[in-house]
C-alpha cells in the first residue's frame, strides 16, 4: 500500500468553525490532490499540488484553501465550515512513473452541524 | 476538458452471473482511462487502466475492460461475480502525460452481488 496517512479520520464540527485536514505521504511523490466524495457526484477535485508551494484550484475549490510547505504534507483548510462541506475527503498522490495512476488515502469523514 | 458518464448508479446481479458496468467519456484529446473500486469505508484502489496499445485490458480480481474509441466507451466486465465484488466502481479519465495528472471521475456504480 502507498504510504498515505490522512488525519483526522473523523471529525464533527459546527458551522463557522475552521477545519484543517492533513495528508501525509512517505512516498516522496511530487503530485498531491484533495478530492471530496458525495453520493451521486463521485469524486470531485478540490485542489492539487505539483510541488512544494505549487498549488492550483480544482473544480470545487470555493471555500477551501491548501498549503504545501513540505513534499510530504498537503493541508486542506476550510476557513469557515458550512453544512454543504459535509463530505468524505480523500487525499491522493502520484509520481512521475505512475502513468497517471493515483494512490488514495483512507479518507476523512467531516460532518458540519 | 474531460467528462465521464457512468450510466448506471446501481447494478444488482446474482452471484456467478456476468456483469458489465458502463462508462462513456467525453474529451477533445486522447485520454488515459481507469477503473477504480471502493469497498465500504475504504479508499479507492486501481482495478485496471488503459494507456495505449491493446484495447482489451485485464485487471485484478478477474475484471477486464475494453476501450472503444469510436464509441468513446470503456466498459468494465467480469464473466462471473462473487459476493466479495460488492463495492462501488468508478471510471476515470485523465489527459495523456502532459504534466496535468488529476483524474476526472464518474459518479460511480454500486455493484450489489446477491446470493
Amino acid at each position: 500500500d502507498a504510504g498515505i496517512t490522512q488525519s483526522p479520520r473523523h471529525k464533527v464540527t459546527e458551522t463557522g468553525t475552521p477545519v484543517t485536514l492533513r495528508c501525509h505521504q512517505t512516498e516522496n511523490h511530487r503530485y498531491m490532490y484533495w478530492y471530496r466524495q458525495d453520493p451521486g457526484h463521485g469524486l470531485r477535485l478540490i485542489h492539487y499540488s505539483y510541488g512544494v508551494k505549487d498549488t492550483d484550484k480544482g473544480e470545487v475549490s470555493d471555500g477551501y484553501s491548501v498549503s504545501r510547505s513540505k513534499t510530504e504534507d498537503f493541508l486542506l483548510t476550510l476557513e469557515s465550515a458550512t453544512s454543504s462541506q459535509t463530505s468524505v475527503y480523500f487525499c491522493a498522490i502520484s509520481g512521475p512513473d505512475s502513468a497517471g495512476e493515483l494512490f488514495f488515502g483512507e479518507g476523512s469523514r467531516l460532518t458540519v452541524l | 476538458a474531460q467528462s465521464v458518464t457512468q450510466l448506471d448508479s446501481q447494478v444488482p446481479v446474482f452471484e456467478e452471473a456476468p456483469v458489465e458496468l458502463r462508462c462513456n467519456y467525453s474529451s477533445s484529446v486522447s485520454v488515459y482511462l481507469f477503473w477504480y473500486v471502493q469497498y465500504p469505508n475504504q479508499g479507492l484502489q486501481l482495478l485496471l487502466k488503459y494507456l495505449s496499445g491493446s484495447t482489451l485490458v485485464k485487471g485484478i480480481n478477474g475484471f477486464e475492460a475494453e476501450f472503444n474509441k469510436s464509441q468513446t466507451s470503456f466498459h468494465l466486465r467480469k464473466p462471473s461475480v462473487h459476493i466479495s465484488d460488492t463495492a462501488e466502481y468508478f471510471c476515470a479519465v485523465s489527459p495523456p502525460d502532459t504534466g496535468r495528472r488529476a483524474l476526472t471521475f464518474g459518479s460511480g456504480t454500486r455493484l450489489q452481488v446477491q446470493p
Side-chain angles (χ1 to χ4, degrees), chain A residues 78-93:
Chain A
L78 292 66
E79 299 292 346
S80 177
T82 67
S83 58
S84 65
Q85 293 175 312
T86 292
S87 187
V88 181
Y89 292 86
F90 285 97
C91 175
I93 65 174

Side-chain angles (χ1 to χ4, degrees), chain B residues 17-96:
Chain B
V19 70
E20 178 179 85
L21 306 183
R22 297 181 291 171
C23 172
N24 286 89
Y25 69 93
S26 174
S27 177
S28 58
V29 299
S30 60
V31 295
Y32 291 167
L33 293 155
F34 304 81
W35 276 99
Y36 281 81
V37 60
Q38 184 182 33
Y39 299 104
N41 298 314
Q42 294 187 22
L44 281 71
Q45 63 184 85
L46 184 70
L47 269 180
L48 48 79
K49 61 185 176 184
Y50 172 79
L51 306 180
S52 64
S54 172
T55 57
L56 183 63
V57 180
K58 294 189 182 297
I60 62 172
N61 301 339
F63 284 93
E64 63 181 31
E66 186 160 17
F67 170 58
N68 187 320
K69 187 174 182 179
S70 63
Q71 298 187 9
T72 60
S73 68
F74 190 55
H75 300 333
L76 182 70
R77 303 184 181 101
K78 186 170 184 178
S80 176
V81 295
H82 303 289
I83 295 289
S84 59
D85 292 322
T86 294
E88 189 151 23
Y89 293 79
F90 293 94
C91 182
V93 301
S94 79

Side-chain angles (χ1 to χ4, degrees), chain A residues 35-96:
Chain A
Y35 286 87
R36 61 177 289 175
Q37 182 181 19
D38 304 288
H41 292 279
L43 280 81
R44 293 178 291 175
L45 183 65
I46 306 171
H47 281 280
Y48 55 98
S49 170
Y50 289 162
V52 173
K53 299 184 179 179
D54 183 4
T55 65
D56 207 347
K57 297 179 179 180
E59 63 177 300
V60 290
S61 60
D62 287 349
Y64 301 95
S65 62
V66 290
S67 66
R68 192 167 178 201
S69 58
K70 298 184 291 184
T71 298
E72 58 266 34
D73 289 326
F74 193 31
L75 304 180
L76 177 70
T77 298
L78 292 66
E79 299 292 346
S80 177
T82 67
S83 58
S84 65
Q85 293 175 312
T86 292
S87 187
V88 181
Y89 292 86
F90 285 97
C91 175
I93 65 174
S94 69

